[in-house]
Every structure is written in C-alpha cells, then in structure tokens.
Amino acid sequence: MKSPSSPHEEERLGLGLVLTALQLLVYASFVAACSFNDAFITGLKASNGVPYSFLFGLVVIATGAVLTTVYVAVTNRSEEPK
Amino acid sequence: MKNVALILVALASQVAQAQGTAASGSSSTALTLFGIVIFTTLLITWWAARRTASTSDFYAAGGNISGFQNGLAITGDALSAGAFLGLSALVFSSGFDGLFYAIGYTTGLPIVVFLMAGKLRKLGKYTFTDVVCSKLGGNGVRIFSACASLTIVSFYLIAQMVGAGQLVQLLFGIEYSLAILLVGVLMILYVAFGGMLATTWVQIVKAVLMLCVGCAIAIMVLAKFNFSFAALLASAVDLHPKGSSILGTSTMAKDPWSAFSLGLAVMFGTAGLPHVLMRFFTVPDAKAARTSVLWAAIFMNGFYALIFIIGFGALSLVRSDGTFLDAKGELVGGGNTAALHLSRIIGGEVMYGIVAAVAFATILAVVAGLTLSGASAVSHDIYGAIFKRRAATEREEFRIVRIATVVLGMFAVALGIAFKGQNVAYMISLAFSIACSSTFPVLLLAIYWKKLTAFGAVLGGGAGIVGSLALTILGPSVWVKVLGNPAPVVPLDPPALVTVPLAFVLCIVGSYMTSTTRAPEGLLSSAKG
C-alpha cells in the first residue's frame, strides 16, 4: 500500500484537517459556553423566546451537516474522471 | 431452514401465550404492527439469503450497496432505541441535559468522513482491522484490533439486549427472558442467513420508519402549540417542577471537565465503532463511502434536531395530560416511555402502535449490526487470518462466521438475561470511551503516521482499553450508581479526556521504541478463494 502522495490526496487531507478543526472549534465553543457562560447556564432567552443554548446547539447540528456537504462535494468532484 | 421455522413457531406460540396473560399496556394495533415488523424483516432475510453466496456477500453485501442506501443504513445503525426513547426521556426528566447528548452525537460522523471514510474503503476489505493490518505487520496488532472490536461490540450489545428485554416486555407484554430470546433468535437469523445484505436492508427499513415517525410526532406536537417552539418551551417550564432551570446548562457548569470529556467521547468515539466502520466496505468505492456519510449526517442530524421538539413535547404534553404519571409524578412503565406516552396522547392507539413497532425494529436493526461486526472480527480477523495462517478457504470462513454469529447471539442472550434489572447505562458510555481511546487512535495513526509500529499500536490501544475500563469502574457510573459507594474515586465521567491523550502518547512512544514493521503486500484478505 502506498501512502497518499498525489497533489489531490494531499489537498484533501488538508481540507479534512481544516474542516475537522472547524468542527472541533464550534463544538468545543458550545461545550465551553454550556459550562462557563451565565446566559447558557441560566437558560436566558433570545428575543424569539428560544434560549441561546438551544440556538447554539442547533448551530452545532447544522455545522456538522454543512461541513460534511462541503467536504464530500469538493472531494468527490475532484475524483470524477475528466 | 426447517429447524429454524420450528423454533420460530414454538417461540411465537409462547409469545402468544404470554400475550394472553400480560398485564402490560400493549394494544392490538401494537401487536399487529409488531408481527408485521417480524414478518417483513424475515422476508428481507429470506431474500438476502438467496443472494449471499460468498464471504464478500456476507461481510460487505458484495460491495453493491449505493451511497444513499448506505447512508440510510448508517443512520439505522447509529440511531439506537436509546437515541430515540432514551434521549426524549432524558429531556422529559431533566430538560436541556438530554439535548446536550443529542447535539454531541451529531459531531461524530463529520469526523469520520473528514479523516477516514474514503481511506477505509481504499485500504480495507471487510473490517477496520484490515486497514490497520494493511499498514502494520504481525498477528499481534490483528489480535489486538479484533479483541478491541469484540470488547466494544460486547458492551454495546449487552446494553442493547437489556434495553431490548425491558422495552419489548413493556411494549408487548412478553416476559423479559422470552423477549431477550426472541430478539436473540431474530438477530441470529438475520445475520447468519442474510449477512450484511439482510442487516443493511433491516437498517434501511428501520431508518426510514424512524425518520417518518419522528417527523410526524414533531409536526403533531408543534401543531398543539400553533407551530411555536417558544410556546412549547414556555409550557414545559410551567409544568416542570424545576421551572426555567430546565432550559439552562447547570449540569455542565457543575462539572465542566466531564462535559468536555463527554464531548470528546461522542465526537471521536463514533470514528472507532466497529459496526459503523464496517459499513464503509459495503459500497463500491471511496466516493460512495463519502456520499453515504453525507446522507447519514443529514438524516441523523435532522433526527437529533427533532429530539428538541419530541423531548420537550413529551415534557409538556405528558405532564399536562397526567394519565401516564404515577403518584410520585414518575412515568408509568419506566423512565424510557416518555416518547411512547407522547405518541399515545397525540395520535391515540394507532400512533402508539406505530411508535412501539418502530422502537422494536430499531432494536433488531442495531443488534443485527453489532452481531455481524462481532462475528466478522472472530471469523475474518481471528480465525481466518491467524489460526489458519491466512489459508482458510472461503467456504470454511463462511462456515465459521455463521458459527460465530450463533455463539455471539447466544452469548448476548445469556448476558442479557444475566444483567436483568441491573443498571447498564454506563456500558454505552464505556463502549464510546473504549472506541475513542483504542480503535480510533490506532486507526487514525495507522492511516496517516508512517512511523507507527505494531508494538506502538498495541501499547497505546491496549492502554486506552484498560484505562477506560479502570477509570469507568472507579467513576460515578459504576463506583457510585452500580456498586453503591458514596463518592467516586475518579470523578471524571466518561474518562475520555484522560484516556484519549494517553492512547495517542503511548502509540507514539511505543513506535519510537521499536522499528517500523510493514506488512508485505497482499495480506489484506484472510480468505483464499
């Protein structure tokens, strides 16, 4: 088995690492907010009546789907035969 | 097959007898749909058995599952009954705490696709052990990987079987041991005869049902509140004894280290679960593997977002209705019944029957995936590759995997009965901790770090397993809740925050201590057809 060496594969690894870091950053920020932010701890609501903790939670869920879509679209397109 | 039919007829007659004397709240609609689920899944198994003729068919459905189908199957595999009934029950009792878990579970699959899915499909054949062994030589790492798989699968399977016994007993009025036996026999039939093809389609059917039911419940709940989620939350706050604190995150604030540790376990644990990783070998190529994660992420994340509505809907409507609460304000039938009672309130007996049948299908789909994964570790990784020194014929490996399926199924039934009435909630957490502390670091480093050696992998992965087990036993989940001690020796729960770095560090240290050993080309397959 050969290690990934083509420019495309290196590029995808870079993209994968960047998106992993983004996902980790968003989720770690959410956990940190739940642990240390008073607005989250007390369940403070936004103007629409939904607490900030819920809204950030939905952002985490959406982020996972969006980042996955970006990665799969870019990587699968680069593998299509020309 | 005749013997199997006789066993099923005998079991069905005992189930029917049990129904006659059951005092549970089972309805005729629920029982009819229960029968339809069993009949449909057995029909799928019969269809799949006619198309399963080789080890490739058995382990990986011949690699002919499409990306979309595999996405649905991953959804079916990952959304256990605990994800639906357990999380909605946690929201019912504690509010946002349940959503914290639901949100965490959505972060795992993206990591799988960013770092692994395509590589797994390119490097492996039937199991993740193939991928590790494609980079590292020697039987030691193969035995380690197979044992890690079996450990994770065993804990996951015991938790599912105990939950299955309790749930089937409650839903359909069947005695606990009989319920376990019924689930055990069905999962053995699916896997032993239909292999990956039957398991995949059982998971697809279940995923579609679960997504449809989840959407229907969420819409019906919101309709009660003029489609205002804020109004639903306001109603929940008014009805819960803890008031507005159910919207807050005080549980996480009390123990931030455990909150981060849980986050780490659910995020990276998914990338180490053997039954999820095995799904990437069922598609034709790496492109389809990635596409399958995309669909799974969309379906799963969508379902977990619905838990926001279903959980708080249960909290509000079941508490305001009051019919399904006992004198202490607890749920009638046990903690995991919030979504079931909710379905009865908003949709009557028909909706209750549908949700009960979907919950049963969920159990069957998840245990089938786990059993297949465990049996593959025994037959493909241990027997085929080691005891037969990679000379097992396809026919022989086929026979062994069926025997392994039956033995694993019997083992699961026995442990399911042995753990009756015991608190096994920690076992899922333990499975995730072991996965993110053993299989995940070993797999990730094997794929990307050229200096990883077999010794390093076994040292780091082994430390991850031992550390997870020891710290979980000494932690709140076992030391306090199971063994009854007043305070935990190790307060961190789960221990991933310690065990994941430990595993990575020891993998690296162990690798630098030994020279690199690469596997010769062509040793991926154990079977010589």
Side-chain angles (χ1 to χ4, degrees), chain B residues 266-330:
Chain B
V266 294
M267 190 172 191
F268 296 111
T270 308
L273 293 176
H275 61 291
V276 173
L277 298 177
M278 195 176 177
R279 293 234 50 91
F280 297 111
F281 306 112
T282 66
V283 291
D285 52 32
K287 196 173 166 182
R290 286 188 287 268
T291 304
S292 61
V293 184
L294 171 61
W295 285 113
I298 289 170
F299 292 135
M300 271 183 58
N301 290 20
F303 186 85
Y304 281 120
L306 293 178
I307 293 291
F308 281 52
I309 300 167
I310 296 170
F312 276 91
L315 199 166
S316 174
L317 295 175
V318 174
R319 284 184 190 275
S320 64
D321 182 87
T323 312
F324 303 106
L325 298 177
D326 61 20
K328 293 178 183 172
E330 303 287 330

Side-chain angles (χ1 to χ4, degrees), chain B residues 214-474:
Chain B
C215 287
I217 294 176
I219 291 169
M220 290 165 88
V221 166
L222 282 180
K224 297 263 184 191
F225 297 90
N226 294 320
F227 293 93
S228 166
F229 185 58
L232 167 61
L233 292 181
S235 165
V237 167
D238 287 341
L239 289 161
H240 199 284
K242 292 180 183 170
S244 61
S245 68
I246 60 167
L247 304 180
T249 60
S250 56
T251 307
M252 282 61 83
K254 279 178 197 162
D255 190 356
W257 290 114
S258 289
F260 278 101
S261 198
L262 175 66
L264 195 67
V266 294
M267 190 172 191
F268 296 111
T270 308
L273 293 176
H275 61 291
V276 173
L277 298 177
M278 195 176 177
R279 293 234 50 91
F280 297 111
F281 306 112
T282 66
V283 291
D285 52 32
K287 196 173 166 182
R290 286 188 287 268
T291 304
S292 61
V293 184
L294 171 61
W295 285 113
I298 289 170
F299 292 135
M300 271 183 58
N301 290 20
F303 186 85
Y304 281 120
L306 293 178
I307 293 291
F308 281 52
I309 300 167
I310 296 170
F312 276 91
L315 199 166
S316 174
L317 295 175
V318 174
R319 284 184 190 275
S320 64
D321 182 87
T323 312
F324 303 106
L325 298 177
D326 61 20
K328 293 178 183 172
E330 303 287 330
L331 286 167
V332 174
N336 284 333
T337 55
L340 293 163
H341 295 321
L342 171 68
S343 64
R344 207 169 219 157
I345 290 168
I346 59 174
E349 289 305 312
V350 173
M351 195 64 183
Y352 172 80
I354 292 171
V355 172
V358 170
F360 181 62
T362 295
I363 291 164
L364 293 179
V366 174
V367 294
L370 288 166
T371 306
L372 180 59
S373 177
S376 303
V378 172
S379 61
H380 180 65
D381 298 334
I382 296 178
Y383 181 84
I386 296 168
F387 292 126
K388 299 301 288 185
R389 296 181 185 278
R390 301 183 178 85
T393 63
E394 184 159 302
R395 184 177 174 152
E396 195 176 350
E397 192 169 327
F398 210 24
R399 186 173 62 84
I400 293 299
V401 74
R402 283 183 160 154
I403 293 171
T405 302
V406 174
V407 171
L408 196 63
M410 289 165 64
F411 171 73
V413 168
L415 288 179
I417 293 171
F419 279 91
K420 179 185 178 183
Q422 294 186 38
N423 180 356
V424 294
Y426 66 91
M427 286 195 181
I428 294 287
S429 168
L430 186 56
F432 267 86
S433 287
I434 293 176
C436 73
S437 314
S438 61
T439 49
F440 169 68
V442 169
L443 191 53
L444 191 72
L445 292 173
I447 292 173
Y448 291 108
W449 193 48
K450 290 177 183 174
K451 292 180 179 173
L452 181 71
T453 65
F455 176 77
V458 174
L459 181 69
I465 295 177
V466 174
S468 298
L469 276 170
L471 295 181
T472 301
I473 290 170
L474 297 173

Side-chain angles (χ1 to χ4, degrees), chain B residues 55 118-119 130 141 185 200 202 304 319-320 333 341 374 377 381 492 520:
Chain B
T55 49
K119 292 278 191 290
D130 288 336
V141 75
V185 168
T200 299
V202 168
Y304 281 120
R319 284 184 190 275
S320 64
H341 295 321
D381 298 334
L492 194 64

Side-chain angles (χ1 to χ4, degrees), chain B residues 495-513:
Chain B
L497 208 56
V498 171
T499 53
V500 172
L502 177 76
F504 272 102
V505 167
L506 288 181
C507 278
I508 293 167
V509 170
S511 297
Y512 277 119
M513 286 166 59

